[in-house]
Amino acid sequence: MNYNIFIDESGNTGNIEIKDDLTWNFQSQTHFALGAIYFKEEKQKELEEEILKCLQSHDVLLGTEKELKSKAKYLFKNELLEELLFILHSNDVGIYFDISDKKYKVIMNIVEYCIYPYYLFDLKETREKKINIATFLCNNMAMEDIKYFIDLCQKEISENDGIREIVEILLKIRELLISCKQKEYQCVDGVIDYIKNHKKYGLTFENILPIKDYNNKGTKESFLPNVDAFNSLLGHICNLRLSYGDNVFVYHDDQKQFSNVLSKWADELKKYGTGIQQLDFHDSKKDVLIQVADFFTGNILRLYKEIISISYMNRKNRELVKKIKPLLENCNIVASNYEQMRFFEQCNIKYRKAPLPF
């Protein structure tokens, strides 16, 4: 069976960094979201026709001469969300969203390379431990130490200097864990030994820190929220929601900066049995299905950020949550335990772990 996946994002896609004044470079765009709709290839023409008919019942130019955008302040926005959701369900269209806290994403990299690295610990066995210690570090790790880790991952450095600086940040993390009576300091001891003797253990220097990607200009970037979300989203849809042997065709909104790196990762995902046959980039102004992905993704991210920042939802958002609950139930949240639980509880959705795609 052939399936088509249409993808768009919401939130700045640039590399996550900390500036010299110890503030994040993303400012108010604290979260990033990537969303997708997917369906059997044979349904595409009928689906496009139904969507355009729906859009143009509100505005005769919408979806063609006027692009459907999540940021637009339509008076009929909530009504349109409900109508489009009905069309998707009527046509057996799958939906999936990946929402991530950018700071938490960086912290999770610290956890995965400094406390529970892949070369010493099993991913499934340490999953909950990673989430817990990442939440702790989000609340307690000094900004200058987080910046030190980010900068270390970004710069060109010799192997000897790199090992020395990695051990230095590991010792700072160890000191923090001991001072706060966190038993994970014992894990850090093991990591320090492994890194100091990495050649003996057969570990290359390049594999000690997060994988480095390069944008279309050739700039090295280690903390791209869109790349992690892209891999997670496609891995989940292809390996957990579709069947082995299905052929998958992916259509992503134009990426002037990141088309090369996303294409590289799409090729990598093929090795894991995802069935991806091709990845194409489309101008959203000419593709109503990417417009729909954008419309859902942007509005869900806006709602998510509002929900986690308040104690109680207002009536307008409560009504919206009821209407689009099927969308919210298909969100993978990459954030602290507290933030995840706050979102799911406010939406009256049972908290659950997202299944691992690989």
Side-chain angles (χ1 to χ4, degrees), residues 7-10 35 37 51 54-55 58 62 67-85 97 284 288-302 320 324 327:
I7 300 174
D8 204 353
E9 77 278 338
S10 181
I37 60 173
I51 288 173
C54 171
L55 298 181
H58 295 279
L62 197 57
E67 185 176 1
L68 175 67
K69 298 291 289 183
S70 62
K71 294 180 180 179
K73 297 182 179 180
Y74 305 117
L75 295 176
F76 48 82
K77 181 182 70 176
N78 288 3
E79 181 182 353
L80 184 56
L81 281 167
E82 191 173 12
E83 290 172 358
L84 288 174
L85 181 58
F97 305 91
S284 60
V288 72
L289 295 174
I290 287 180
Q291 291 178 37
V292 170
D294 168 83
F295 187 61
F296 281 128
T297 305
N299 278 293
I300 285 176
L301 180 59
R302 177 199 61 78
L320 179 59
I324 65 169
L327 296 176

Side-chain angles (χ1 to χ4, degrees), residues 160-176:
N160 288 339
D161 288 342
I163 295 298
R164 176 179 53 78
E165 292 195 23
I166 293 167
V167 171
E168 186 174 332
I169 190 62
L170 285 167
L171 290 172
K172 290 183 178 182
I173 294 170
R174 181 181 186 276
E175 182 181 350
L176 172 63

